[in-house]
Amino acid sequence: MEQTLAGQAALVTGSTSGIGLAIARFLHQSGARVMLNGFGKPEDIAAAQAACGGAPHSPADMSRPEEVRAMVAEAESAFGRLDILVNNAGIQHVSPVEEFPAAKWDAILAINLSSNFHAIAAALPGMRARGHGRIVNIASAHGLVASPFKTAYVAAKHGVVGLTKSVALEVAEAPITCNAVCPGFVRTPLAEAQVPPLAGKHGVSEEAALKDFLLAKQPSKRWIEPEEVARMVLWLVGPDSGGVNGAALSIDGGWLAA
């Protein structure tokens, strides 16, 4: 990759695996220094760090506002600056609304939405002072449309899109942008793990379960790859995207076109 981000520093939340790790790797390969964040086995975190050039890792818990803000301060201290913030951390729970555990609701709203607010609020002063910043919030197709049994996730991701737009308006006259990326079903270990139970439940092959049930709303009938999301993020934080601000960009195999 071209070193279009040389000299810049980035923080990617939820980046020890999946979409976040793909984004962190692409930022590193484009010349940025990256701080990782997330949970996982020590050996998996070490592998993620190695894949990003020995990137530092923050174990900050995204459900705890004080840890989110301290993580941003840690990144600025480690790098002397923070140019790029990618809010990617998220969790999911599926349940009918009347049975939805209150604790799960609180955790999803805290991690999927409130952590974005706290990270942005902590990062913006430095970005304003330096006269440059790129914020990308990983929302979801569920930030634009709803599905049943995912009330907390849908509410949080709709909130992420609204937060993105509001922040974009506040920074519109500064050389700072804030955008959201809205993926459909992405090939990650957590998503792939949903396929075998669906196949068993419906008595079909895993291929049929994937296309006919899990990806029923995704017209392409294929996974979005983490690297596809990473490439979109890479462009949004790069030198040619300054005119894009407050956008919620879909990458969903045609889901929102249906």
Side-chain angles (χ1 to χ4, degrees), residues 124-149:
L124 266 180
M127 290 180 175
R128 289 187 187 277
R130 290 183 294 272
H132 176 76
R134 294 287 183 267
I135 300 167
V136 179
N137 300 318
I138 306 302
S140 168
H142 282 122
L144 302 170
V145 294
S147 290
F149 311 119

Side-chain angles (χ1 to χ4, degrees), residues 15 21 24-26 28-29 36 44-55:
S15 50
L21 179 56
R25 286 194 296 105
F26 274 45
H28 162 66
Q29 291 166 14
L36 304 178
D44 293 337
I45 293 174
Q49 290 178 284
C52 298

Side-chain angles (χ1 to χ4, degrees), residues 70-149:
M71 175 186 63
V72 172
E74 181 184 353
E76 290 185 324
S77 176
F79 300 135
R81 59 189 301 127
L82 184 60
D83 306 279
I84 298 165
L85 171 64
V86 181
N87 289 306
N88 169 74
I91 60 172
Q92 173 66 290
H93 183 77
V94 179
S95 175
V97 64
E98 67 272 24
E99 300 171 8
F100 210 99
K104 289 290 186 183
W105 170 276
D106 291 342
I108 290 171
L109 268 289
I111 294 169
N112 294 24
L113 175 58
S114 295
S115 70
N116 294 19
F117 160 73
H118 291 293
I120 291 169
L124 266 180
M127 290 180 175
R128 289 187 187 277
R130 290 183 294 272
H132 176 76
R134 294 287 183 267
I135 300 167
V136 179
N137 300 318
I138 306 302
S140 168
H142 282 122
L144 302 170
V145 294
S147 290
F149 311 119

Side-chain angles (χ1 to χ4, degrees), residues 8 25 55 68 89 126 159 167-168 187 196:
Q8 297 192 43
R25 286 194 296 105
V68 176
V167 172
R187 188 198 302 272

Side-chain angles (χ1 to χ4, degrees), residues 11-234:
L11 168 62
V12 185
T13 70
S15 50
T16 50
S17 65
I19 296 170
L21 179 56
I23 293 169
R25 286 194 296 105
F26 274 45
L27 295 178
H28 162 66
Q29 291 166 14
S30 295
R33 295 171 292 169
V34 183
M35 174 173 281
L36 304 178
N37 157 260
F39 301 138
K41 298 177 181 178
E43 59 270 27
D44 293 337
I45 293 174
Q49 290 178 284
C52 298
H57 167 259
S58 167
D61 183 339
M62 294 297 97
S63 70
R64 298 180 178 275
E66 67 279 7
E67 293 191 25
V68 176
R69 290 176 181 258
M71 175 186 63
V72 172
E74 181 184 353
E76 290 185 324
S77 176
F79 300 135
R81 59 189 301 127
L82 184 60
D83 306 279
I84 298 165
L85 171 64
V86 181
N87 289 306
N88 169 74
I91 60 172
Q92 173 66 290
H93 183 77
V94 179
S95 175
V97 64
E98 67 272 24
E99 300 171 8
F100 210 99
K104 289 290 186 183
W105 170 276
D106 291 342
I108 290 171
L109 268 289
I111 294 169
N112 294 24
L113 175 58
S114 295
S115 70
N116 294 19
F117 160 73
H118 291 293
I120 291 169
L124 266 180
M127 290 180 175
R128 289 187 187 277
R130 290 183 294 272
H132 176 76
R134 294 287 183 267
I135 300 167
V136 179
N137 300 318
I138 306 302
S140 168
H142 282 122
L144 302 170
V145 294
S147 290
F149 311 119
K150 299 179 179 180
T151 48
Y153 189 84
V154 170
K157 293 302 187 179
H158 271 67
V160 169
V161 172
L163 172 67
T164 298
K165 292 179 179 181
S166 186
V167 172
L169 293 175
E170 292 190 24
V171 301
E173 294 187 28
I176 300 169
T177 63
C178 182
N179 292 290
V181 173
C182 300
F185 283 101
V186 180
R187 188 198 302 272
T188 64
L190 287 176
E192 288 183 308
Q194 299 177 50
V195 177
L198 278 174
K201 177 181 178 181
H202 295 283
V204 298
S205 68
E206 290 189 8
E207 181 179 1
L210 176 65
K211 290 185 176 181
D212 297 338
F213 295 100
L214 189 64
L215 301 184
K217 295 182 178 180
Q218 201 151 293
S220 64
K221 300 301 180 184
R222 71 164 180 86
W223 294 109
I224 305 300
E225 301 295 340
E227 291 76 14
E228 293 180 278
V229 181
R231 288 188 185 94
M232 181 177 281
V233 172
L234 188 62

